[in-house]
Amino acid sequence: MIMKSLDDDQAVDPVSIPLAGKTSIADFMVIASGRSGRQVASMAVKIADKMKADFRRTARVQGLPAADWVLIDCGDIIVHLFRPDVRAFYNLEKMWGLDDAPNPSPAFAPIDGPRPDDSVATPR
């Protein structure tokens, strides 16, 4: 249900990480990005509403006002929804050992040296 909801809402790079045997906090972790804080908040509210309607379970939601990083605790599944730059900064996929996950936001990857569009003013 969560992955379908994210797909319907055009989430960016949704990833499901199995946690069985790694931790007792949940069975799965889902990580995805939205293109803006507004999209992140909307996806989070829809998931929480669907959990209540479909499964009669109340999901706990944190981070909704700012919507940079929203955590949804669905019991056996934990969902992290990010804005792209925040997702790239925390890189939870790597932390949980998912090295083959898609790069969450290559546009925010560090750059060594000046970028091609950077110009240096020369004093006259």
Side-chain angles (χ1 to χ4, degrees):
M1 180 278 297
I2 292 170
M3 295 302 282
K4 175 154 180 20
S5 180
L6 292 172
D7 185 52
D8 291 347
D9 290 339
Q10 300 178 357
V12 178
D13 296 328
V15 176
S16 176
I17 302 172
L19 297 179
K22 294 181 182 180
T23 183
S24 61
I25 62 171
D27 294 333
F28 287 92
M29 179 180 297
V30 175
I31 302 171
S33 299
R35 289 176 171 72
S36 66
R38 179 176 274 173
Q39 184 185 15
V40 168
S42 175
M43 291 187 302
V45 168
K46 286 181 184 179
I47 289 172
D49 289 348
K50 287 180 181 183
M51 283 298 296
K52 189 166 191 162
D54 295 355
F55 302 105
R56 309 274 190 254
R57 296 179 78 175
T58 301
R60 292 177 289 185
V61 181
Q62 295 181 355
L64 201 53
D68 292 333
W69 175 358
V70 177
L71 181 133
I72 309 161
D73 184 351
C74 301
D76 296 338
I77 303 170
I78 296 173
V79 182
H80 295 274
L81 301 177
F82 294 96
R83 279 189 340 191
D85 55 334
V86 178
R87 182 177 181 180
F89 180 80
Y90 287 102
N91 200 1
L92 293 183
E93 292 95 334
K94 186 174 182 179
M95 184 176 83
W96 285 98
L98 196 63
D99 293 331
D100 59 341
N103 185 351
S105 183
F108 295 100
I111 297 174
D112 294 331
R115 294 181 298 242
D117 62 337
D118 287 345
S119 60
V120 177
T122 307
R124 292 187 172 197

